[in-house]
Amino acid sequence: MTNNACFAPQRVLFEERALDYPLGRSLWERFRKEDKEVRVIGSHNRVTGLPGKDPAEKFKEAKRTLVVGVKKEGEFAKCRPSADFQLVLSTSCPGMCEYCYLHTTLGRQPVVRLYVNVEEILERAEKVIKDRAPEETVFEGAATSDPLPLEPYSGALAQAITFFAKQEHARFRFVTKFTCVDSLLNLKHQGRTEFRFSVNTPEIINRFEHGTPRLTARLQAAAKVFQAGYKLGFLVAPIFLYDGWKKSYEELLLEMKDTLPAKAAPSFELITHRFTARGKQNIAAIFPSSELPLSEEERRFKYGQFGYGKYVYTKEQYQEAERYLSEKINVYFPSAEILYFV
């Protein structure tokens, strides 16, 4: 994927309750006019009957499936270190990155889900904001998905951005690998939304990030976002320590500097590669030819914030990467802020 294309699902499944909402009904009418499979299901959490003779094929079909559902009420999940809470507007995404952490939580059939009750979700967020005021509350809109490819159908990001523009004690942030940003450029965001792009070296993108725009297209979209006045950030993730990684990540920073306006001072979030035992099993099933570095013997085991363990780089590797990348970011973006390195 090299252009501004977002997501064109091959089949669309509607949770029955979603048809009680205006967005659900309008999407139902829209997709029924197109040459797609459209049908009603009982729950967005239970999708069966997708085609595919093996896990790899079923995975690809899940990524081509849009489920229109209703997000149930519940407490907002914590989202450290990115934000205070997750603001779940969608689940999964059409990208097929081999390393994705959602392989652990969503399993082998991660259908793409959007939620039609965005107003209700934002009303609940407003209550949390008021309860915590005057403390500032930060919501992350991409903890369980890349929401941008669904924006032409849901309009959820536009709703969230304009909602947070009116919140004195809250901010919104989300991250994407996609480039269909034009519908969000003219919104009155009042500087309350941080628009971030997930980037990596061309080697990593080309080998492991299937179905996503290439690096140059992402950086060009980031330049548009900056010109629209949004706070701009970059998620450099996952950072892989392969032969020649230092040269590759420095070249990434150089291309970023050359593409962005000279006055850009983006934030950086740096996340080293990690994997879980369950994620490794799912990756082996859905990407049987994967060349991801998943040797448990070469990593150290660490428990994460959600109660399950993961395999991360050794302390020595971690410290070397943090030192080197921090130094290079300071060279190419001396005014930038490194929010965290994990």
Side-chain angles (χ1 to χ4, degrees):
M1 182 177 296
T2 58
N3 55 26
N4 266 9
C6 273
F7 175 42
Q10 292 189 356
R11 68 186 60 81
V12 188
L13 312 181
F14 286 79
E15 183 178 26
E16 191 169 7
R17 288 180 57 212
L19 298 175
D20 294 334
Y21 290 80
L23 177 58
R25 291 193 296 271
S26 67
L27 289 174
W28 173 263
E29 295 300 327
R30 172 177 178 170
F31 285 117
R32 288 192 66 185
K33 295 175 183 176
E34 300 181 12
D35 186 21
K36 303 180 187 296
E37 174 190 351
V38 179
R39 58 185 171 91
V40 175
I41 60 175
S43 169
H44 71 260
N45 286 318
R46 181 171 174 78
V47 177
T48 59
L50 296 183
K53 67 178 185 295
D54 57 38
E57 284 190 7
K58 289 182 180 293
F59 174 80
K60 291 178 181 177
E61 293 298 334
K63 288 287 190 172
R64 297 166 180 157
T65 302
L66 175 63
V67 177
V68 180
V70 178
K71 179 67 177 172
K72 294 180 180 179
E73 287 193 19
E75 291 187 1
F76 290 104
K78 296 287 183 16
C79 195
R80 294 295 187 183
S82 172
D84 295 305
F85 299 106
Q86 299 179 12
L87 189 76
V88 178
L89 304 172
S90 57
T91 302
S92 188
C93 87
M96 292 185 281
C97 300
E98 294 184 21
Y99 57 72
C100 183
Y101 67 92
L102 295 176
H103 295 323
T104 295
T105 55
L106 298 183
R108 300 179 186 179
Q109 293 192 58
V111 293
V112 184
R113 283 176 277 173
L114 71 77
Y115 303 112
V116 296
N117 57 327
V118 178
E119 292 86 354
E120 295 173 355
I121 296 170
L122 294 176
E123 285 173 2
R124 289 169 43 225
E126 187 170 25
K127 185 178 185 305
V128 171
I129 294 166
K130 289 180 178 178
D131 288 345
R132 288 167 53 90
E135 181 181 355
E136 184 176 69
T137 302
V138 182
F139 285 87
E140 169 63 65
T144 62
S145 70
D146 186 325
L148 188 60
L150 298 180
E151 185 63 11
Y153 306 122
S154 70
L157 285 175
Q159 285 182 260
I161 290 168
T162 53
F163 166 81
F164 280 96
K166 302 171 185 175
Q167 303 301 316
E168 181 182 0
H169 301 295
R171 288 189 294 113
F172 180 52
R173 60 202 316 261
F174 67 95
V175 63
T176 184
K177 288 185 172 79
F178 287 81
T179 56
C180 42
V181 300
D182 290 357
S183 68
L184 304 177
L185 297 180
N186 295 321
L187 297 177
K188 294 181 179 180
H189 52 76
Q190 305 297 338
R192 308 300 297 179
T193 290
E194 185 176 13
F195 203 134
R196 297 128 69 217
F197 287 83
S198 176
V199 296
N200 219 311
T201 68
E203 294 94 323
I204 297 302
I205 292 174
N206 294 336
R207 289 179 67 188
F208 302 127
E209 297 186 5
H210 314 298
T212 64
R214 302 298 87 179
L215 175 63
T216 299
R218 296 183 207 178
L219 295 180
Q220 290 170 346
K224 285 185 184 180
V225 164
F226 178 77
Q227 296 286 21
Y230 282 97
K231 293 182 179 179
L232 178 64
F234 288 98
L235 194 71
V236 184
I239 297 164
F240 287 91
L241 307 183
Y242 54 91
D243 288 342
W245 68 268
K246 290 183 177 180
K247 181 174 183 292
S248 294
Y249 282 100
E250 183 171 11
E251 290 174 348
L252 165 63
L253 291 169
L254 179 59
E255 183 170 353
M256 292 169 66
K257 180 177 176 59
D258 288 344
T259 305
L260 296 174
K263 58 184 178 180
S267 66
F268 283 85
E269 296 159 271
L270 308 175
I271 303 176
T272 54
H273 178 244
R274 64 278 319 280
F275 63 91
T276 65
R278 181 182 177 189
K280 180 178 178 178
Q281 290 179 341
N282 287 334
I283 291 167
I286 59 184
F287 296 107
S289 301
S290 177
E291 297 179 350
L292 279 172
L294 301 176
S295 172
E296 296 168 5
E297 292 75 20
E298 297 176 1
R299 303 291 182 97
R300 63 187 172 99
F301 186 78
K302 178 181 178 182
Y303 275 105
Q305 63 175 310
F306 297 110
Y308 51 80
K310 53 195 171 184
Y311 293 89
V312 301
Y313 284 113
T314 66
K315 289 184 178 179
E316 293 75 19
Q317 290 173 311
Y318 176 93
Q319 291 169 353
E320 181 183 13
E322 182 178 24
R323 183 169 55 249
Y324 180 81
L325 292 172
S326 299
E327 175 186 304
K328 292 303 178 182
I329 288 172
N330 288 330
V331 169
Y332 292 105
F333 296 95
S335 300
E337 180 182 9
I338 299 175
L339 299 181
Y340 58 84
F341 186 102
V342 296

